[in-house]
Amino acid sequence: TTTPVGIHDLSFATTHYALDHAVLAQRLGVDRDKFYLGIGQEKMSVAAADEDIVTIAAAAAKPILERHGTDNIRTVLLATETGVDQSKAAALYLHSLIGLPNAARVVELKQACYGGTAGLQFAAGLIARDPSQRVLVIAADIAKYELDTPGEPTQGAAAVAMLVTADPAILALDPVSGLYSADIMDFWRPNYRTEAIVDGKTSVNAYQKAAQEAWTDYRRQGGRELGEFAAFCYHQPFTKMAYKAHRHLLESQGHTADTDAIEAAIGATTTYNRTVGNSYTASLYLGLASLLDHGDDLTGKALAMISYGSGSVAEFFSGTVQSGYREHLRTEANLAAISSRELLGYERYRELHEATSPSDGAYHAMVEETRRPYRLAAVSGHKRIYESR
Ligand code: CAA
């Protein structure tokens, strides 16, 4: 038998601010239930002027290092599609802030919202080679669409950090995975833009097709049957998307898509996303945290994980929840990260959205706003300067 590999610890962080969708609905002149019920989003996390993916990634990772130390963390993989530099890996900016080991390889990964899953799978591969190694995987994103567009209510932000090890305390991954990649233009962000471009309806259809194709491949590879899973954890660009994709998957397999059964399979995975919004690479793992924090006892149960990154790559994988997992959860800290956000008024939200990064090389101090553990203090000489608070 091979040593089980998987998620040993999981911690998330989000931004200082949040915007209630009722505020956005009023501005856009639509019924707020279009957002609350139609897309299933009530609030979205919004970054303060002195926050970015590095500050939220550091805040997510720090508690993991505090609990488990840094021994044998020989690889750090940070997945993001809202990186702060085209060359240097974002995790190197937080290296000194949170005390990552020097004897480690530190790399940034990108494939839209799929990048976090790439990190998790690469980590599992490294640990299979040497089970004494531990890998820190961080997924961090700030989702930003153009103002006054259909994508705007699906913004959000969060970072999830996971310690991936042999004999994990939370979720042991099955070695089998289903894969599907296809070159399409459903959502992308050219280098010269800070906001994503999206073909909304195409992206929804592409997501559903990719999830189904990844499932088909998962079965071809000898994966479990649909009926074996206690819950289905989907990437959530908005929470309704998980419901849509699951209904599509069930119907494509000739199952009846009973509303109560879908709620039982998905509901607990959406609690955090509903109030955080899309966190791209982190979203699937925020869904997992939500399920573990809010679901019934899942000891010994199989979970399905469905990752989708536009462009596009999908992966259907699975795992078994470990006995005693509840002692390792961070439910209280997770709930506090969400409830401690400061609610924004529309004007300040818009100002933050429209603000641009300094690019002239001069010294720019950032307004002190966030009350989170780390902040971007200044940009000077084209260098980003971070500090602990
Ligand atoms: N009360 C209740 N429900 C209402 C309502 C009301 N008053 N008004 C409208 N609704 C419902 C609609 O009936 C609809 O429900 P269904 O989907 O079940 O039909 C829902 O609210 C949304 O309404 P629309 O379809 O009219 O919404 P829209 O066209 O304005 O926006 C969207 C939808 C195009 C998906 C938009 O949110 C968007 O562009 N999002 C960004 C792209 C995205 O998230 N794509 C997802 C797949 S890609 C991916 O997953 C990668 C990633 O992270 C980006």
Side-chain angles (χ1 to χ4, degrees), residues 97-250:
L97 282 179
I98 64 169
L100 289 175
N102 291 109
R105 53 173 83 83
V106 178
V107 177
E108 186 169 312
L109 299 171
K110 178 180 69 191
Q111 185 357 71
C113 308
Y114 171 75
T117 301
L120 180 60
Q121 295 295 355
F122 297 167
L126 287 165
I127 294 158
R129 185 171 83 171
D130 170 9
S132 72
Q133 276 196 30
R134 305 187 299 168
V135 179
L136 180 65
V137 176
I138 309 168
D141 270 302
I142 297 171
K144 208 171 159 190
Y145 294 88
E146 271 181 272
L147 293 167
D148 307 326
T149 63
E152 187 181 13
T154 68
Q155 297 176 128
V160 171
M162 294 179 275
L163 189 64
V164 184
T165 66
D167 296 317
I170 296 178
L171 186 74
L173 298 175
D174 294 335
V176 56
S177 257
L179 303 172
Y180 179 75
S181 293
D183 176 10
I184 57 167
M185 298 303 280
D186 58 331
F187 167 104
W188 66 104
R189 185 169 65 83
N191 286 343
Y192 48 82
R193 288 179 59 107
T194 54
E195 292 126 355
I197 302 172
V198 64
D199 183 340
K201 300 293 176 203
T202 301
S203 74
V204 169
N205 293 332
Y207 178 127
Q208 293 183 164
K209 174 177 162 59
Q212 185 191 332
E213 296 282 355
W215 160 255
T216 304
D217 187 54
Y218 174 84
R219 288 291 294 152
R220 258 197 313 260
Q221 304 301 319
R224 298 170 191 260
E225 291 182 27
L226 272 183
E228 288 181 57
F229 296 112
F232 291 77
C233 206
Y234 283 84
H235 166 57
Q236 294 166 38
F238 49 95
T239 60
K240 261 300 174 63
M241 187 68 230
Y243 290 84
K244 278 181 193 290
H246 195 52
R247 181 176 294 276
H248 178 86
L249 180 64
L250 292 179

